[in-house]
Amino acid sequence: MKAHELKGKNFLKLLDFTPEEIQGFIDFAIELKAMKKAGTPHRYCEGKNIVLLFEKDSTRTRCAFEVAGADLGMHPVYLGPSGSQMGKKESIEDTARVLGRMFDGIEYRGFGQDIVEDLAANAGVPVWNGLTNEFHPTQVLADFMTMQEVAGPLKGQKLVFMGDARFNMGDSLMVGCAKMGMHLIACSPKKYWPGQELIDTCQKIAKETGAVIEFSENPFEAVKGANVIYTDVWVSMGEPDEVWQERIDDLTPFRVTADIMEAAGEQCKFMHCLPSFHDVKTTIGKDIYDKFGIDCMEVADDVFESPASIVFEEAENRMHTIKAVMAATL
Ligand code: CP
Ligand code: NVA
């Protein structure tokens, strides 16, 4: 990827990019990380203004956009779940046309992918997807950057996704693995596999890239030889509390435990987009413990805290990859 070829482009989902472009973002992020560590200034977007629209909560994504924006010499403005007119008194189209006149780039985190696509169609400036129900593409860039740092080239690396594979993380990792010629196994009860249309799209891409996209209901078999076991929360932002019981019943056999890590082999790393329910140090974690008597959900605490866990390297890389996306598209 030559950075100037992506100027003015939106970053809405990985399906919109070629494998070379995705690799380009990752390699650019690795360069930017080295510059930051060396204290080398990289104010490539001096004087620009960006707006960060969050209809859902965030720690990593918001901070990554704000810090990366500041490092690039920009002024970020945050609009949270309440306080702006968007959606309530003003349509997405009108909001986009207003913000596009004031800002050089717009980040959106919220609900349907159609909303971020709609923003992009009307803003006239680059729009970046900071998570929708369907996709979380900046997260996958950070995940793949971390995998490349740990084990080298992505092609052929095996990633097993355990848990709710039909929401933003499962969907985006499947697309990313298909694009980058990797081996993905989505491991969960069948009803948690991604939608058939997206599977078909990814299988088509896989034919061109040499990727292998598979599905399994057998965790101990699926994880053998994996480079990475990846999981995500069982109930995502915006889903109703009523689904907890069903998710716990269905997904407990797919929790990432020490036994699962051992079955994968000692090369295997543990990854999670975070935040994660691995203990009862959160209000929701405590609440679930009181109601259901479990002290962890998608991952056991000893795995989360083990040397195989690279979740905080992964979290740091959110900032470097988001910086690469903004610098390349602005
Ligand atoms: N992984 C991730 O998107 O984290 P936040 O919800 O904290 O942004
Ligand atoms: N699937 C999770 C991802 C959080 C980063 C959610 O949407 O809540």
Side-chain angles (χ1 to χ4, degrees):
M1 173 193 78
K2 297 204 178 53
H4 67 268
E5 288 168 8
L6 294 173
K7 293 269 174 267
K9 254 199 127 172
N10 301 305
F11 189 82
L12 305 179
K13 54 188 185 303
L14 294 177
L15 285 169
D16 300 337
F17 293 90
T18 64
E20 294 70 31
E21 287 168 340
I22 295 170
Q23 188 63 55
F25 283 124
I26 294 168
D27 293 342
F28 188 23
I30 289 172
E31 267 174 50
L32 290 165
K33 182 174 182 176
M35 289 172 91
K36 172 124 176 148
K37 304 273 174 202
T40 309
H42 43 280
R43 296 173 73 84
Y44 299 146
C45 305
E46 188 80 57
K48 298 201 177 202
N49 295 288
I50 55 171
V51 63
L52 314 178
L53 298 177
F54 280 82
E55 293 197 301
K56 290 177 178 170
D57 293 339
S58 168
T59 298
R60 276 146 292 272
T61 309
R62 175 185 176 176
C63 295
F65 270 98
E66 292 215 22
V67 173
D71 284 354
L72 290 169
M74 299 196 284
H75 173 60
V77 172
Y78 172 78
L79 290 182
S82 66
S84 87
Q85 312 280 19
M86 184 166 106
K88 299 180 284 280
K89 279 175 78 179
E90 197 157 37
S91 67
I92 302 299
E93 292 89 327
D94 291 356
T95 306
R97 287 182 289 179
V98 171
L99 297 176
R101 283 168 182 257
M102 297 192 194
F103 293 96
D104 300 289
I106 301 172
E107 181 273 0
Y108 173 82
R109 162 171 289 199
F111 297 91
Q113 180 71 16
D114 54 321
I115 302 175
V116 78
E117 303 271 352
D118 205 4
L119 264 175
N122 289 284
V125 297
V127 173
W128 309 297
N129 180 357
L131 177 147
T132 59
N133 292 345
E134 290 84 353
F135 295 117
H136 196 7
T138 62
Q139 177 70 50
V140 175
L141 286 187
D143 300 338
F144 286 3
M145 171 179 175
T146 313
M147 289 178 73
Q148 185 171 313
E149 286 176 328
V150 169
L154 295 169
K155 199 170 171 68
Q157 287 205 44
K158 175 174 175 181
L159 186 155
V160 179
F161 184 91
M162 302 265 280
D164 183 6
R166 50 142 203 199
F167 214 73
N168 42 27
M169 282 317 309
D171 284 353
S172 306
L173 284 164
M174 180 170 72
V175 173
C177 287
K179 288 268 176 183
M180 303 315 285
M182 295 161 71
H183 181 187
L184 172 98
I185 303 185
C187 185
S188 59
K190 202 169 182 174
K191 69 181 190 197
Y192 295 93
W193 293 355
Q196 195 56 47
E197 201 180 319
L198 189 63
I199 293 178
D200 292 346
T201 303
C202 288
Q203 294 292 20
K204 256 192 218 128
I205 298 169
K207 278 211 181 88
E208 289 161 22
T209 62
V212 177
I213 305 295
E214 294 178 320
F215 303 90
S216 167
E217 295 185 280
N218 182 344
F220 283 93
E221 193 54 38
V223 299
K224 279 186 194 152
N227 294 89
V228 164
I229 296 176
Y230 197 117
T231 191
D232 183 16
V233 291
W234 290 344
V235 177
S236 285
M237 289 183 280
E239 294 196 283
D241 284 348
E242 293 75 65
V243 300
W244 274 112
Q245 178 72 66
E246 186 189 17
R247 296 290 163 83
I248 291 169
D249 293 345
D250 290 345
L251 296 173
T252 297
F254 299 85
R255 171 182 294 149
V256 185
T257 60
D259 287 347
I260 287 282
M261 291 301 291
E262 200 187 323
E266 57 188 25
Q267 78 296 331
C268 186
K269 302 292 182 199
F270 171 71
M271 294 180 77
H272 191 308
C273 53
L274 305 182
S276 148
F277 292 118
H278 59 96
D279 58 23
V280 289
K281 294 179 190 162
T282 61
T283 47
I284 297 179
K286 263 201 206 80
D287 197 38
I288 295 295
Y289 177 76
D290 292 342
K291 281 197 190 123
F292 303 102
I294 52 171
D295 61 7
C296 67
M297 282 177 260
E298 69 276 7
V299 55
D301 193 51
D302 57 350
V303 172
F304 187 90
E305 297 294 353
S306 71
S309 172
I310 51 172
V311 295
F312 296 109
E313 285 79 0
E314 183 186 0
E316 177 189 330
N317 285 340
R318 296 298 309 289
M319 202 276 289
H320 306 298
T321 42
I322 281 172
K323 191 185 284 179
V325 168
M326 289 196 291
T329 55
L330 279 177

